[in-house]
Amino acid sequence: MRGALILVATAGLVAGCGGEHGGAPAGPPEKDVRLTSCVLSRKLHAGRVRGVITNTAGRTAGYVVQIDILDGGGNPVDTALHAETEIAPGAKVTFSAGGVQTYSGKITCRVASVRRTLR
């Protein structure tokens, strides 16, 4: 009988969880980030990325976004990072991030990873 009670209590805890750290289930955090531009800085000759983070999680959230900066052949030449500590549910935040490696030539950018922490 004791084993059945533990199983029921555990099932109740799992069913009550939803999303990260409780609350409404959230979709993949990568869907919350959209890159709006990816250019080579004229002064620094390093990648400069702009984008928008939209918090779709239903709770205040923090985000850490890693962006790969790629050469014309699609090979990574640098990484840019951006962090936001608190974005209200449904809010949009524009961001700018830059690489540090100098490069000449065409570049493209892609979101490599997104970590979202619900508050």
Side-chain angles (χ1 to χ4, degrees):
M1 184 71 164
R2 184 174 179 204
L5 291 175
I6 292 171
L7 181 60
V8 170
T10 303
L13 290 173
V14 171
C17 282
E20 298 171 25
H21 306 288
E30 293 79 13
K31 296 215 178 233
D32 291 359
V33 178
R34 179 175 53 91
L35 301 182
T36 57
S37 75
C38 173
V39 297
L40 204 57
S41 163
R42 291 183 188 179
K43 275 187 175 180
L44 302 174
H45 300 285
R48 193 81 187 142
V49 183
R50 294 184 190 277
V52 177
I53 301 170
T54 304
N55 180 357
T56 63
R59 290 179 51 190
T60 299
Y63 288 81
V64 176
V65 181
Q66 178 181 334
I67 301 129
D68 285 340
I69 301 171
L70 313 167
D71 66 14
N75 303 304
V77 293
D78 203 357
T79 299
L81 295 171
H82 181 76
E84 289 288 337
T85 57
E86 293 198 14
I87 301 176
K92 293 182 179 187
V93 174
T94 60
F95 71 89
S96 178
V100 295
Q101 300 294 324
T102 58
Y103 182 76
S104 61
K106 292 188 177 206
I107 62 168
T108 57
C109 298
R110 70 173 176 221
V111 175
S113 67
V114 178
R115 180 178 171 134
R116 174 179 56 212
T117 305
L118 299 178
R119 307 278 183 225

